[in-house]
Amino acid sequence: MQDQNYLLRAGVTVFAAAVLAACSTPRQQQGQGPTQPFYPLPPAGQLTPPAPPPAPKPQATFIRPASGRTLSTFDGSRNKGLDIAGNLGDPIVASADGRVVYVGGELRGYGNMVIVKHNDTFLTAYAHAQTILVKEKDVVRQGQKIAEMGNSDAERVKLHFEIRKQGVPVDPEPYLNGQLN
């Protein structure tokens, strides 16, 4: 009698476990993909589930190369970058890691200039420098001082900064504030 009682209890326990599993696991029809995950009801008094945490803000690929205020912004035709105010000798830093591909003053309207190639897509240009501290083929790191602000071929002391994507000037602001990478 005890053996029959034991078998009955074991059978009832297995049946109860199967019923519980069937009630809490959504059925999947053959040929369909996975079902939506099961979410329990929220605690009493809470009408809606909590919102997920906000996505982290993307980090900027480029940093601002000088700390002065912006004198003029990108317009695509007359100004192909940003003009940043400063004082004679203020530091100009590399906006991102890269390799120096040009140092010189031969390009009319740019004065003493440094061009850094960051990858196959992006170049940055730093114009109107008083003193250039790097040479062609140097590897530079983001934030490294590469030049000092000046007014070579300009009406005032400033940095003219450009970002070029595939050789085409683009508005630097979205890249500097992390909206684009």
Side-chain angles (χ1 to χ4, degrees), residues 4-180:
Q4 288 178 338
N5 200 11
Y6 175 75
L7 284 175
L8 181 62
R9 283 187 137 183
V12 169
T13 303
V14 170
F15 177 74
V19 167
L20 286 173
C23 290
S24 63
T25 305
R27 289 190 182 193
Q28 189 172 356
Q29 302 265 337
Q30 191 167 1
Q32 289 183 343
T35 60
Q36 294 295 323
F38 171 74
Y39 295 105
L41 294 174
Q46 187 177 356
L47 298 177
T48 58
K57 184 178 179 190
Q59 294 296 311
T61 302
F62 297 95
I63 62 169
R64 192 172 173 90
S67 60
R69 68 182 173 82
T70 300
L71 296 171
S72 61
T73 59
F74 178 87
D75 65 20
S77 58
R78 195 180 57 76
N79 191 353
K80 297 179 187 324
L82 292 179
D83 289 337
I84 301 171
N87 296 309
L88 204 58
D90 281 356
I92 298 170
V93 301
S95 190
D97 294 352
R99 182 175 301 275
V100 178
V101 294
Y102 175 82
V103 171
E106 294 83 22
L107 296 173
R108 186 177 164 161
Y110 288 90
N112 297 326
M113 182 170 70
V114 175
I115 298 176
V116 176
K117 181 177 183 176
H118 303 287
N119 53 37
D120 289 337
T121 305
F122 289 103
L123 298 168
T124 50
Y126 310 82
H128 307 302
Q130 171 190 9
T131 305
I132 295 175
L133 305 172
V134 293
K135 58 188 182 311
E136 288 180 20
K137 299 184 183 175
D138 281 355
V139 172
V140 295
R141 298 287 172 220
Q142 186 177 57
Q144 177 184 338
K145 185 175 174 182
I146 59 172
E148 294 177 348
M149 209 174 285
N151 59 353
S152 61
D153 208 5
E155 71 285 351
R156 64 172 294 168
V157 175
K158 67 180 179 181
L159 166 65
H160 176 74
F161 173 70
E162 293 183 10
I163 295 179
R164 292 188 174 240
K165 183 176 182 179
Q166 304 290 352
V168 178
V170 294
D171 185 358
E173 286 295 346
Y175 293 91
L176 296 175
N177 65 25
Q179 292 176 342
L180 294 174

